[in-house]
Amino acid sequence: MTPGLWRNLGDRAAVWPGRDWPLGATWSAEATNFAVHAPQATAVWVCLLDDEGGEVRHALTEQSLGVWHGAVPGVEAGTRYGYRVDGPWEPAQGRRFNPQKLLLDPYARAVSGALTPGPAVHAHEPGRRTQRPSRLDSLGHVPVGVVVADDDFDWGEDRPLRHRWRDTVVYEMHVKGMTALHDRVPEHLRGTYAGLATPAVVDYLRDLGVTAVELLPIHQFVSEPALTERGLTNYWGYNSLAFFAPHAAYSSAGDRGQQVTEFKHLVRTLHAAGIEVLLDVVYNHTAEAGPDGPSLSFRGLDDRGTYHRSYLRSQGEAFVDSYWDVTGCGNTVNADTPAMLRLILDSLRYWVTEMHVDGFRFDLASALTRVDHEIALDSRLITAIGQDPVLRHVKLVAEPWDASMDGYRVGEFPPPWVEWNDQYRDQVRDFWRGASHGIRDVATRLAGSSDLYADDGRSPYASVNFVTAHDGFTVRDLVSYEHKHNEANGEHNRDGTDNNRSCHHGVEGETDDEAVRALRRRQAANLMATLCLSNGVPMLTMGDERGRTQRGNNNAYCQDNEVSWVDWRPDDAWLDVYEVTRAALRLRREHPALRQRHFFEGRPTMVGGPKDLAWLHPSGREMSEENWHDHTLATVGMFVSGAPLRAPGPRGEQQVDASFVLWFHGGTEPVDVLLPENDWVHSGEVVLSTDPALAEGTPVRMGERLTLGPRTVAVLREQRQG
């Protein structure tokens, strides 16, 4: 039947008008409503697919405010579907409509199938992208959406945990890599959401002291064709395509909606253990890459309204259409357009309200703030998130840079955002490898980076501290390699950073030299203890606490194998580093003096009392201005007073804790430090030490000297009178 033209009285339309909201496929027993944003299209079909490769097309005859919609009766939950869209072929104007391409619904709640690279997935003919549209059908070569019904998931008593930032310990984790080799996870669950929910993993995280996991991207993603051609895959997942769908390959139960239920089970299980779930989200670009990339979803629906352009112009008969790329991935999502702003906000709210996640880490967040081409930290997206009654109360973490020079904005994101602090990473690495030229910079990082965050009223927890992340060396490799070894990536070792700030301590890579091995483990323990005891929010990277190695690969994004997975065998694990990490996190958890809400002020918290923070020279005196500029100084003591804390408790009560002296000695020779006599602390004990000669429980008295071995973290806690 021609749309809008009846043949006979009494006819019934095969597709009902439906409604233009919500976007995506909304199932009911009577009919499923389909709604998709394609404002410049001239025709849209929803295509229902069967398991034999067959396709039934239904024209969507209704269009409201740029949204094509219709309700198709009798669609079963689990049905696979996609869209075909017709319209002008004007690439220079950002219009790439081609009905030969089956397009994934941007609002699909689940995705089935994989991307098979080849000519069929491109909207243009190979080598002639601006002249002719492709006539090849992409059905069978591209992932498609799945109609998902309400699964009536039993959340029970699950509620947002809302741990305070100052009480939070983040563990950056890959869903597959955490359990792919875990012998205590049932084999059929390894590498899946269900595998993460097993007691072997949950108990491990809780025992370590983790309060939040940050999952590397779990929005449905695909591998770049260039990787596939090299026989590799995108392991990290920073190539998102569907921002509402849990990645199907991480499901043990199936890809027809089962992945949604399985992910919910993971969240509920972690919440029951007191562990929040944060998602690493990649809204800054999509898997469609640059103009020569595949047409999988957005490009065929609303290319012009999705991606930033650098310019649009005509040169004779040849069109020039240049995407503006500050992500390094071929395109940059324009989050300032109404459609993409809506999609990002709808996606975020969906994951909070329907999937119960607790927050997000925004990959290349600066790219999302772009208005035209300029950074605007008061952009529509930032403003909308800050005002949204759902989103403003979840954890929001910015990676405060993008791939451009002007995108680096550490210390500038507005509340309630917190930020990855790469200055912490760099200066702590430099201190422990002996390249810091004094202790001034590292002391600022230990105390919470007030130089970055105090000026706009934020607290120390605005700094998410880390010494490693998924991108770069692991802690073990940081102390074992001085150069990247990325040959396995197939890019002739040109990929990955050369600015590793690492030290191999005598020989490049693994060695049988016991002295070198012992020093490396000690340095790894120093890095982990420093991270866990610094003011701010510590973020650990999966496996660092037990010596995971990537064999010198500092860009293992395409290594979906033992290079990236956690090796759970005890044979080569650095379990002594694990014990130091666990002990440091326990101290942090048990003592509010070590995770304070406010910045230290260097003055008493009570009349006649000690300073809240005093920096100690090894000689026992407080640091002088001259000492702060001494480039040879490699030792500093950090006195933290707990009697009382500056901040009151929840009912205004005074909070009293033990006082601590934390010594950080980065020198290569032993050093004697004097514990100064004072009116407030007279004796104590060693409660953490990376020096084997300085045992935990060793008593100390003020006025006496204490010997710290080379490269040592030592934490002294006062003995309080009972």
Side-chain angles (χ1 to χ4, degrees):
M1 184 182 72
T2 302
L5 180 65
W6 298 103
R7 291 184 179 275
N8 303 291
L9 287 175
D11 282 350
R12 179 185 294 273
V15 179
W16 306 347
R19 59 186 184 184
D20 63 350
W21 62 275
L23 291 170
T26 305
W27 181 87
S28 75
E30 186 178 27
T32 297
N33 191 80
F34 295 92
V36 62
H37 181 78
Q40 298 187 57
T42 58
V44 176
W45 299 265
V46 60
C47 307
L48 306 181
L49 312 174
D50 61 33
D51 292 340
E52 286 71 43
E55 171 188 1
V56 178
R57 302 183 186 183
H58 298 278
L60 301 182
T61 61
E62 303 294 323
Q63 185 186 25
S64 305
L65 303 175
V67 175
W68 294 77
H69 55 92
V72 181
V75 177
E76 295 183 359
T79 298
R80 298 180 304 139
Y81 73 100
Y83 293 110
R84 295 186 185 273
V85 182
D86 203 356
W89 178 257
E90 300 171 342
Q93 302 303 318
R95 302 183 183 98
R96 287 185 167 84
F97 298 106
N98 186 337
Q100 298 301 315
K101 307 305 153 185
L102 187 65
L103 304 175
L104 179 65
D105 184 355
Y107 277 73
R109 265 52 171 182
V111 174
S112 175
L115 172 65
T116 304
V121 304
H122 295 270
H124 57 276
E125 288 186 357
R128 308 182 61 126
R129 69 173 173 86
T130 57
Q131 284 82 13
R132 295 181 183 174
S134 166
R135 297 183 179 181
L136 299 176
D137 197 312
S138 65
L139 175 62
H141 300 270
V142 294
V144 296
V146 176
V147 176
V148 176
D150 182 0
D151 59 2
D152 295 322
F153 184 80
D154 182 9
W155 284 104
E157 298 299 317
D158 187 78
R159 296 292 184 274
L161 294 174
R162 291 185 177 164
H163 295 316
R164 297 175 300 187
W165 266 122
R166 65 181 181 272
D167 300 333
T168 298
V169 176
V170 179
Y171 191 85
E172 189 195 43
M173 173 201 296
H174 189 280
V175 170
K176 182 176 182 179
M178 188 69 176
T179 62
L181 297 175
H182 206 308
D183 60 343
R184 291 171 54 205
V185 172
E187 188 170 356
H188 69 287
L189 300 182
R190 294 174 191 169
T192 69
Y193 304 120
L196 281 189
T198 58
V201 177
V202 176
D203 292 348
Y204 176 87
L205 295 171
R206 184 165 49 186
D207 187 60
L208 180 60
V210 170
T211 72
V213 295
E214 181 179 297
L215 301 179
L216 265 65
I218 58 92
H219 289 167
Q220 186 73 33
F221 62 87
V222 298
S223 293
E224 297 87 340
L227 275 182
T228 306
E229 290 172 2
R230 300 203 301 268
L232 300 170
T233 60
N234 189 315
Y235 168 70
W236 286 348
Y238 290 90
N239 205 40
S240 300
L241 186 61
F243 299 109
F244 292 79
H247 191 59
Y250 298 154
S251 171
S252 66
D255 68 354
R256 301 296 180 90
Q258 298 95 332
Q259 61 265 57
V260 178
T261 303
E262 187 170 332
F263 183 84
K264 291 179 179 180
H265 172 71
L266 168 63
V267 174
R268 185 183 63 187
T269 301
L270 289 171
H271 281 180
I275 299 172
E276 293 179 307
V277 178
L278 313 181
L279 301 185
D280 193 336
V281 289
V282 190
Y283 296 111
N284 60 78
H285 73 278
T286 79
E288 292 183 313
D292 287 321
S295 185
L296 305 175
S297 180
F298 300 93
R299 178 168 286 138
L301 292 165
D302 185 20
D303 186 51
R304 188 167 182 169
T306 299
Y307 302 118
H308 276 286
R309 295 310 204 277
S310 56
Y311 55 82
L312 292 169
R313 72 170 187 262
S314 175
Q315 295 180 342
E317 295 183 359
F319 291 112
V320 177
D321 178 12
S322 178
Y323 281 21
W324 188 65
D325 179 14
V326 291
T327 66
C329 300
N331 65 60
T332 303
V333 166
N334 189 349
D336 203 49
T337 65
M340 294 311 294
L341 175 63
R342 176 181 177 180
L343 180 141
I344 293 170
L345 293 172
D346 285 350
S347 170
L348 293 170
R349 282 190 290 261
Y350 172 79
W351 287 97
V352 173
T353 59
E354 296 296 325
M355 308 295 261
H356 286 210
V357 305
D358 303 279
F360 308 92
R361 178 264 187 187
F362 289 75
D363 180 67
L364 300 184
S366 292
L368 289 169
T369 71
R370 301 279 182 166
V371 177
D372 293 327
H373 293 168
E374 302 299 321
I375 294 284
L377 295 179
D378 59 352
S379 67
R380 293 177 182 175
L381 179 64
I382 297 295
T383 301
I385 289 174
Q387 294 177 344
D388 190 281
V390 172
L391 301 178
R392 68 189 181 200
H393 296 298
V394 304
K395 287 183 164 65
L396 301 169
V397 184
E399 183 183 36
W401 52 78
D402 57 26
S404 69
M405 293 296 292
D406 65 325
Y408 185 80
R409 298 303 173 109
V410 173
E412 298 182 26
F413 273 71
W417 292 78
V418 305
E419 302 173 3
W420 271 26
N421 185 353
D422 66 329
Q423 295 187 34
Y424 178 95
R425 174 198 65 197
D426 292 349
Q427 289 162 14
V428 168
R429 286 186 181 190
D430 282 350
F431 176 77
W432 285 114
R433 72 187 179 108
S436 62
H437 306 294
I439 52 83
R440 184 172 186 170
D441 289 340
V442 76
T444 301
R445 303 299 155 232
L446 294 171
S449 297
S450 60
D451 60 328
L452 298 174
Y453 304 109
D455 59 345
D456 57 4
R458 287 194 282 174
S459 299
Y461 60 70
S463 175
V464 176
N465 300 328
F466 64 105
V467 292
T468 68
H470 64 276
D471 185 5
F473 280 153
T474 66
V475 160
R476 178 169 178 163
D477 290 354
L478 195 64
V479 299
S480 303
Y481 296 88
E482 291 188 2
H483 307 286
K484 65 188 181 186
H485 297 270
N486 298 354
E487 290 81 5
N489 296 352
E491 299 179 43
H492 306 289
N493 207 36
R494 292 192 298 263
D495 61 306
T497 183
D498 293 313
N499 184 26
N500 294 299
R501 298 176 186 257
S502 59
C503 179
H504 59 40
H505 299 97
V507 61
E508 185 78 356
E510 296 297 323
T511 178
D512 293 329
D513 188 315
E514 288 301 326
V516 173
R517 289 160 61 95
L519 176 55
R520 288 175 175 177
R521 293 164 80 119
R522 186 159 169 174
Q523 286 287 69
N526 288 333
L527 287 162
M528 298 303 290
T530 304
L531 172 63
C532 296
L533 296 171
S534 297
N535 216 15
V537 179
M539 185 189 79
L540 286 64
T541 301
M542 177 186 78
D544 271 352
E545 73 284 357
R546 55 186 296 115
R548 184 176 73 88
T549 177
Q550 293 178 173
R551 305 170 194 166
N553 193 321
N554 74 354
N555 189 35
Y557 76 104
C558 56
Q559 297 299 319
D560 187 5
N561 50 49
E562 290 84 352
V563 170
S564 299
W565 303 339
V566 176
D567 184 352
W568 290 95
R569 296 173 301 174
D571 311 45
D572 195 36
W574 289 7
L575 298 181
D576 50 342
V577 178
Y578 170 85
E579 292 300 335
V580 168
T581 306
R582 181 170 172 265
L585 289 177
R586 184 177 65 249
L587 284 172
R588 182 185 185 93
R589 180 174 64 253
E590 294 176 352
H591 292 283
L594 299 177
R595 46 180 173 82
Q596 298 202 27
R597 175 184 176 188
H598 299 297
F599 284 108
F600 296 111
E601 298 182 14
R603 60 185 180 87
T605 59
M606 184 174 66
V607 176
K611 294 179 180 180
D612 58 353
L613 172 66
W615 295 102
L616 305 178
H617 189 272
S619 65
R621 66 176 185 273
E622 282 197 55
M623 291 282 292
S624 66
E625 187 65 24
E626 181 181 0
N627 297 147
W628 286 117
H629 291 89
D630 181 356
H631 290 181
T632 67
L633 186 60
T635 310
V636 68
M638 184 178 181
F639 169 78
V640 178
S641 173
L645 303 184
R646 191 172 302 282
R651 291 177 174 79
E653 71 276 16
Q654 188 180 84
Q655 296 188 96
V656 177
D657 192 13
S659 295
F660 291 83
V661 175
L662 296 82
W663 284 104
F664 300 90
H665 173 48
T668 58
E669 300 295 331
V671 65
D672 287 338
V673 296
L674 179 65
L675 307 177
E677 294 189 54
N678 61 85
D679 295 332
W680 303 285
V681 179
H682 305 290
S683 62
E685 63 175 339
V686 176
V687 291
L688 184 145
S689 170
T690 62
D691 178 2
L694 183 62
E696 292 181 14
T698 300
V700 295
R701 292 193 60 82
M702 302 306 108
E704 297 180 351
R705 292 191 177 275
L706 182 68
T707 299
L708 302 178
R711 300 183 173 105
T712 291
V713 173
V715 181
L716 318 179
R717 182 178 58 198
E718 72 165 311
Q719 290 180 336
R720 299 172 61 190
Q721 303 299 318

